[in-house]
Amino acid sequence: MDALNAKEQQEFQKLVEQKQMKDFMRLYSDLVSKCFTDCVNDFTSNKLTSKEEGCINKCAEKFLKHSERVGQRFQEQNQLMMQQLRR
């Protein structure tokens, strides 16, 4: 980033933020799709049953924990690669 001038740094930062937003929206969409498909079975009512609601809560929690863990591992691998490049 030091090799970029101020304008280039701003443009780069904007691209990074756009990618992060796109990734977040993809994650959210995948979460909704997976948990809805796995948990919602009764379409005779416009409300979730308690069983469906519990399933969705557990599904969302697992999905988010998994995504967080994958992100942490990716960050660890990225840091390791950066250290190896500096040597």
Side-chain angles (χ1 to χ4, degrees):
M1 289 275 293
D2 292 336
L4 303 176
N5 65 37
K7 184 178 179 185
E8 291 170 332
Q9 287 180 9
Q10 284 179 330
E11 289 174 6
F12 181 75
Q13 184 64 31
K14 185 178 178 181
L15 288 173
V16 168
E17 289 171 5
Q18 288 173 346
K19 172 137 178 43
Q20 288 173 336
M21 180 56 81
K22 185 177 179 180
D23 289 346
F24 171 77
M25 294 306 294
R26 182 186 44 78
L27 176 72
Y28 179 76
S29 178
D30 290 349
L31 166 68
V32 170
S33 179
K34 179 178 179 7
C35 294
F36 182 86
T37 301
D38 290 352
C39 297
V40 179
N41 303 308
D42 182 7
F43 296 97
T44 61
S45 173
N46 63 350
K47 296 185 189 247
L48 295 172
T49 65
S50 60
K51 184 179 177 182
E52 290 171 332
E53 193 170 336
C55 179
I56 287 173
N57 288 335
K58 287 179 186 175
C59 178
E61 185 177 339
K62 281 183 177 181
F63 190 92
L64 293 173
K65 282 183 179 179
H66 169 76
S67 295
E68 181 181 359
R69 186 175 175 113
V70 168
Q72 288 173 344
R73 295 298 171 253
F74 178 75
Q75 187 176 16
E76 290 169 3
Q77 291 297 317
N78 193 30
Q79 288 174 349
L80 182 62
M81 284 180 11
M82 293 302 287
Q83 289 174 353
Q84 291 173 345
L85 288 173
R86 290 183 186 143
R87 292 180 187 169

